[in-house]
Amino acid sequence: EKEYTDSCKQVKQQIAQIECQPDSEFKERVEQVKNEQLPTKEVLVLLEKMLAADEIAQQQLQLEHKQLQSEMQVLATRIAQGQQRKQSEQLLHQLTLEKAKNEQDLLAAKQRYQQASEKGKEIEPLAEKIALIQHQLADYSECDRLKQYIQTLEKRIEKMQAQLVDKTTEQQILQTQSVSAKQEYTDLQQAGEEKLKLEAEQKTITTTLETLRTLQRSLQELHKLDTEYRSKVLDYQKKQQVADVQAQQYQQMNRAYLDAQAGILAQQLQPDVACPVCGSKSHPKPAQITLEAPSEQQLKESEQKYQTYNRQMNEASAEAGRYRGAVLEKSTALQQQAEPLFGQIDLKTFQQPLLIRGRQVAQQLKECQEKIAVQTKRMQRKQQLEQQIQQQEQQAEVLQAEIARINEALAGDKTALATSQQQTHQFAQKLAYPNEAQAKAAQAEFSQQKKQIEAELAQAEQVCAEVKEKATVLATKITQLEKTIAQLPDEDVQQQQAKSAMLEQQDTAILQQEKMLHARFAKHDQIRKTILNKLDESTRLEQRLQLIKSLSQTANGSLSGKERIMLETYVQMTYFDRIIRRANKRLLVMTNGQYELKRSTQAEDNRNKSGLELDVVDHYNGTERSVKTLSGGESFKASLSLALGLSDEIQSSAGGIRLETMFVDEGFGSLDEESLAQAIKALSDLTDGNRLVGIISHVSELKNRIEKQVIVTKEKSGGSRITIVT
């Protein structure tokens, strides 16, 4: 239905988009279409006519556009020729001015070339100076090298003299340190033997200290065992007292119970009938029952408590005995361990001497370890000195060799310094400049002057040639422009441009109108196609809607004048009828054939949903009424019957599922004695098929009717107690 409505709405939307000019012949018809005064098929006919008219108008506009384009092309050619003639005349005037200026430039270029030629006579003397310096560059380089070498030798000689002083001082200091180290090494010769003696002593002290620590742990364990033993003894004494009290209570209760038995037997005595105890037929003074006598159950409970407390007492006694044995065993072992160090000891006062002896041994161990540490450091120092002495001897040999090497190198450098100074003096007498850098600077300056003069001469010659060439080019261009101007017509360019602009405006208006017509044509054509498609779609949807709407109303129970039964309810009604048939087998038994359930086929109001209401048939008076009229007990029977019917139906149709257990919670209190018996009979029949039925109830009459019971009794002290009766 929504798709059909949407399709119709889309057709209306398409019709609303139809456009029409105010002066169009179709204006009145378009208004009728938009006001829905014409059928949809007439709209399609109108669109066809409008499309045909727009197509003819587009063709006419295209023809006018072509004619204007042809006229504009002719005008463009004439405007281009006029502009070309005007540009050529302007260029000819400019070239004439340039020709006059070029003649002046040519005169100046010739004068500049003459001046550069006079200055060019200096080039040859400069070249000779440059060649001379170039020839002596090797001597300059060698002289500079000798000067640098002299500086290097002077620095090196100064450095070696300082090194010689340092090495000599270092040699003297090393000799002093070596003598001191050898003396200290001699004093430390016995350090290793002392350390071995102290380590043996440390091992003995450590063994003694470990033994004392073991004795300390054993003594602590003995004290802990003794404390636990005393705790177990106290626990035993407490449980003994409780057991004695309970035994006394049980004996008193047993005596009272036995005394009460005589009173119970005396109540059964009859005149001239022998007593079952003494055999006498006369009973002058029968015993009486006392109110304080306990019951047999109370006596049993008292006996159980007595046995429990007595068992707890025996367990506590055994536990205390076990701890006593552990204490004795630990004491004997501790005395045996302590005897080598302390002889015979008293365990009660052994803690104090054990602590004193432990502190003493620990102090001895500490002092021994400190002595070992001292000897260890002396041994380490001895090893360091041994390495140090060896290194000092090696350093002394190295220093002696370095001093000899420095003296030899110093003598060679002094000889080389004298030779180099003499060679440098010889070079200085024959060279014009102090060093190579200044010579090269002078050479570079001469080269720069020579290049500048050559460049000025070449530039003057080039400028002169360029000016001559430009004069030739200008003459050629002027001749060509004069010929071109003579061939072009003399047109009024502004007048032709104004005419072309007017034609262009006309063409733009035509193109705009054609574009608008094309857009409207495309839009109306699309509207026509859409309306055609939507008309076919609406027809198809309308036919399907008529069919589906009827089916929907039937399945949803919304047909006017019919019962409002949902499809889901309709399916449930079928299963409900099966359950009712099975439930009636139970209900007829429970009500002695009076009542039978029936699904109601008449709704109270056709506007409301229906289909799962229940009525009851009363076979005693032949009436049919709602189940709401049943009493409380009758409603319980009906509910129980439906539950059993549902169980039977599930078991019958669920593919192998068996409902073997069910519970009925309360509900029996509303039944009279006869109804109760009928309900119990129906439930008992279920147990014949290996089913278990549990009834939860407070009704006392059920206790006599049900053999197997689970009785829950609330305790005053909290919680509850369960008793099973079979």
Side-chain angles (χ1 to χ4, degrees):
E1 186 173 7
K2 183 177 182 303
E3 290 179 4
Y4 173 70
T5 303
D6 291 343
S7 181
C8 295
K9 186 185 295 185
Q10 291 175 8
V11 172
K12 293 179 182 179
Q13 291 174 352
Q14 294 294 324
I15 292 175
Q17 296 178 17
I18 297 176
E19 298 178 358
C20 184
Q21 296 294 330
D23 57 349
S24 175
E25 59 178 320
F26 304 108
K27 178 65 177 177
E28 183 177 355
R29 299 281 288 174
V30 170
E31 292 295 334
Q32 291 177 351
V33 166
K34 291 187 176 182
N35 294 330
E36 300 183 8
Q37 297 176 359
L38 291 177
T40 307
K41 292 184 179 180
E42 291 294 330
V43 174
L44 294 173
V45 175
L46 176 61
L47 284 172
E48 291 287 352
K49 293 180 179 180
M50 294 176 68
L51 288 171
D54 286 346
E55 188 174 5
I56 293 173
Q58 285 185 69
Q59 293 175 356
Q60 181 64 31
L61 289 173
Q62 290 174 359
L63 181 60
E64 294 177 4
H65 170 67
K66 290 181 181 179
Q67 292 176 353
L68 286 173
Q69 286 290 324
S70 178
E71 294 178 8
M72 290 169 62
Q73 184 65 34
V74 174
L75 284 174
T77 301
R78 297 178 65 181
I79 290 171
Q81 290 178 347
Q83 290 176 343
Q84 184 179 1
R85 179 184 176 90
K86 187 175 182 180
Q87 291 174 356
S88 298
E89 290 175 348
Q90 293 175 351
L91 182 59
L92 178 61
H93 177 69
Q94 183 179 356
L95 291 176
T96 303
L97 295 177
E98 288 184 7
K99 182 180 179 183
K101 183 178 180 299
N102 181 259
E103 291 175 353
Q104 297 177 359
D105 292 342
L106 180 59
L107 180 61
K110 289 180 179 179
Q111 293 176 355
R112 182 179 176 184
Y113 177 74
Q114 183 65 31
Q115 294 174 356
S117 298
E118 290 294 330
K119 198 173 183 180
K121 297 176 181 180
E122 299 177 5
I123 294 176
E124 186 175 353
L126 289 173
E128 292 176 354
K129 293 180 180 180
I130 293 170
L132 178 60
I133 294 173
Q134 181 67 33
H135 178 71
Q136 293 178 343
L137 282 179
D139 294 338
Y140 280 112
S141 178
E142 180 63 20
C143 183
D144 290 346
R145 186 190 66 78
L146 286 172
K147 290 179 180 180
Q148 292 178 357
Y149 182 56
I150 290 170
Q151 293 177 357
T152 302
L153 288 174
E154 289 175 345
K155 291 180 181 179
R156 196 159 64 190
I157 289 171
E158 182 180 357
K159 182 177 179 181
M160 284 190 293
Q161 288 175 346
Q163 288 177 351
L164 188 61
V165 174
D166 293 340
K167 294 297 181 181
T168 304
T169 304
E170 185 179 353
Q171 187 181 38
Q172 295 173 356
I173 294 172
L174 185 61
Q175 289 175 353
T176 303
Q177 292 176 348
S178 178
V179 172
S180 176
K182 289 178 180 179
Q183 181 62 41
E184 185 180 358
Y185 179 78
T186 303
D187 296 338
L188 296 175
Q189 287 295 324
Q190 303 300 322
E193 296 178 1
E194 292 294 331
K195 182 181 178 184
L196 291 175
K197 293 178 182 179
L198 290 170
E199 286 177 347
E201 183 181 352
Q202 179 189 16
K203 185 174 182 181
T204 303
I205 296 172
T206 302
T207 303
T208 304
L209 185 60
E210 185 63 30
T211 302
L212 292 173
R213 289 174 179 171
T214 303
L215 290 174
Q216 180 67 28
R217 289 193 295 270
S218 298
L219 185 60
Q220 291 175 353
E221 293 174 359
L222 178 60
H223 288 166
K224 183 178 179 182
L225 279 174
D226 186 63
T227 301
E228 292 178 353
Y229 165 65
R230 295 178 186 279
S231 175
K232 297 298 181 181
V233 170
L234 290 175
D235 182 55
Y236 162 70
Q237 291 173 352
K238 291 179 181 179
K239 290 182 177 179
Q240 183 184 29
Q241 292 175 1
V242 173
D244 291 344
V245 172
Q246 186 61 36
Q248 186 178 0
Q249 291 178 356
Y250 169 67
Q251 291 173 2
Q252 292 175 357
M253 187 177 290
N254 187 41
R255 191 178 301 110
Y257 176 76
L258 294 175
D259 293 344
Q261 296 304 308
I264 294 172
L265 291 173
Q267 286 183 342
Q268 299 177 356
L269 294 176
Q270 296 179 3
D272 298 328
V273 177
C275 174
V277 178
C278 63
S280 176
K281 292 184 178 181
S282 61
H283 316 292
K285 191 178 180 180
Q288 301 296 322
I289 299 176
T290 62
L291 297 177
E292 294 81 5
S295 64
E296 183 179 0
Q297 180 65 27
Q298 291 175 335
L299 182 63
K300 289 182 179 180
E301 292 177 355
S302 178
E303 183 181 7
Q304 290 177 354
K305 288 183 179 180
Y306 162 68
Q307 293 175 353
T308 300
Y309 291 142
N310 191 56
R311 184 179 66 255
Q312 293 176 353
M313 178 192 71
N314 292 332
E315 291 175 353
S317 175
E319 185 71 6
R322 187 173 64 83
Y323 271 90
R324 182 174 182 274
V327 170
L328 292 175
E329 182 181 355
K330 195 70 176 178
S331 299
T332 303
L334 182 58
Q335 288 177 347
Q336 292 176 354
Q337 292 174 353
E339 186 174 357
L341 293 176
F342 297 91
Q344 294 296 326
I345 61 171
D346 184 0
L347 294 177
K348 295 180 180 179
T349 61
F350 182 54
Q351 179 68 33
Q352 188 64 24
L354 181 60
L355 291 174
I356 294 172
R357 184 67 175 276
R359 293 192 189 99
Q360 294 174 351
V361 175
Q363 182 62 30
Q364 292 175 2
L365 178 62
K366 181 179 179 182
E367 293 174 355
C368 184
Q369 288 174 342
E370 291 175 352
K371 293 178 181 179
I372 291 174
V374 171
Q375 295 302 322
T376 300
K377 290 182 179 179
R378 294 186 69 198
M379 288 182 64
Q380 293 174 351
R381 179 58 179 167
K382 178 183 174 183
Q383 293 176 356
Q384 291 176 356
L385 288 172
E386 186 175 356
Q387 295 177 357
Q388 181 179 341
I389 291 170
Q390 184 178 0
Q391 291 175 356
Q392 287 173 345
E393 291 176 351
Q394 293 175 354
Q395 290 176 0
E397 294 177 358
V398 172
L399 280 173
Q400 185 62 37
E402 288 183 354
I403 290 172
R405 180 184 59 79
I406 293 172
N407 285 324
E408 183 180 356
L410 185 60
D413 285 348
K414 287 181 179 180
T415 302
L417 177 62
T419 303
S420 299
Q421 289 175 343
Q422 183 180 1
Q423 293 176 353
T424 303
H425 179 69
Q426 294 174 357
F427 278 118
Q429 291 179 349
K430 71 175 182 178
L431 296 177
Y433 298 98
N435 52 45
E436 183 181 5
Q438 292 183 4
K440 287 184 177 180
Q443 184 185 30
E445 183 179 357
F446 294 149
S447 298
Q448 182 65 31
Q449 293 176 3
K450 179 175 176 292
K451 288 180 180 179
Q452 184 176 359
I453 295 172
E454 290 174 347
E456 290 177 358
L457 181 61
Q459 185 177 10
E461 186 177 0
Q462 182 180 359
V463 169
C464 188
E466 289 176 354
V467 172
K468 290 181 180 179
E469 183 180 0
K470 186 176 181 180
T472 304
V473 172
L474 287 174
T476 303
K477 288 183 177 180
I478 289 173
T479 303
Q480 292 178 349
L481 282 175
E482 289 175 349
K483 292 180 180 179
T484 300
I485 293 170
Q487 294 174 356
L488 292 174
D490 189 6
E491 294 283 353
D492 188 349
V493 176
Q494 293 183 352
Q495 181 180 0
Q496 299 298 331
Q497 287 178 339
K499 187 175 181 181
S500 176
M502 181 182 65
L503 293 176
E504 188 173 358
Q505 290 178 356
Q506 294 177 3
D507 187 56
T508 302
I510 290 173
L511 290 175
Q512 185 66 27
Q513 189 176 0
E514 183 184 4
K515 182 179 180 181
M516 181 187 67
L517 280 174
H518 179 74
R520 187 172 66 189
F521 180 87
K523 180 179 180 181
H524 286 172
D525 187 51
Q526 183 62 38
I527 291 172
R528 180 182 62 82
K529 293 178 181 178
T530 303
I531 291 175
L532 282 173
N533 293 334
K534 292 300 177 182
L535 282 178
D536 294 339
E537 181 181 347
S538 299
T539 303
R540 177 178 56 79
L541 289 173
E542 184 179 11
Q543 294 173 353
R544 183 162 177 75
L545 175 61
Q546 292 175 356
L547 173 63
I548 292 179
K549 188 173 184 180
S550 176
L551 292 174
S552 174
Q553 290 175 345
T554 301
N556 289 285
S558 59
L559 286 173
S560 59
K562 300 291 184 178
E563 295 182 16
R564 294 174 58 80
I565 301 176
M566 298 291 290
L567 178 61
E568 179 183 2
T569 305
Y570 177 77
V571 176
Q572 291 174 347
M573 285 164 50
T574 304
Y575 290 98
F576 195 30
D577 288 338
R578 298 180 187 176
I579 294 171
I580 291 173
R581 285 197 297 271
R582 296 181 183 274
N584 282 331
K585 295 179 182 179
R586 316 286 185 180
L587 184 59
L588 288 171
V589 174
M590 294 183 191
T591 60
N592 288 327
Q594 180 180 2
Y595 292 123
E596 186 176 3
L597 296 173
K598 180 181 180 183
R599 183 175 60 80
S600 177
T601 57
Q602 183 64 35
E604 296 179 358
D605 188 351
N606 284 339
R607 293 174 297 177
N608 297 328
K609 296 179 181 180
S610 62
L612 297 179
E613 293 83 5
L614 269 177
D615 288 341
V616 63
V617 178
D618 190 343
H619 291 292
Y620 285 5
N621 54 24
T623 61
E624 182 178 333
R625 63 182 188 272
S626 173
V627 291
K628 299 177 182 178
T629 61
L630 293 176
S631 64
E634 292 170 343
S635 297
F636 174 74
K637 295 177 182 179
S639 299
L640 181 58
S641 299
L642 283 170
L644 297 175
L646 177 62
S647 172
D648 293 340
E649 179 59 27
I650 291 175
Q651 183 170 314
S652 174
S653 60
I657 293 178
R658 292 184 58 81
L659 301 181
E660 298 177 345
T661 305
M662 70 175 295
F663 284 89
V664 182
D665 190 2
E666 297 297 350
F668 294 93
S670 61
L671 302 180
D672 54 27
E673 184 176 355
E674 182 180 359
S675 298
L676 182 61
Q678 292 171 348
I680 293 299
K681 182 178 183 302
L683 294 174
S684 297
D685 292 341
L686 294 176
T687 61
D688 295 339
N690 292 327
R691 288 189 181 181
L692 176 64
V693 179
I695 298 174
I696 304 172
S697 178
H698 294 84
V699 179
S700 58
E701 289 81 356
L702 288 175
K703 293 183 178 180
N704 299 326
R705 297 176 180 271
I706 300 176
E707 297 177 356
K708 299 179 180 179
Q709 302 177 8
V710 178
I711 301 173
V712 182
T713 306
K714 186 180 295 185
E715 296 287 353
K716 294 181 179 180
S717 60
S720 58
R721 176 169 52 85
I722 290 178
T723 305
I724 300 177
V725 179
T726 58

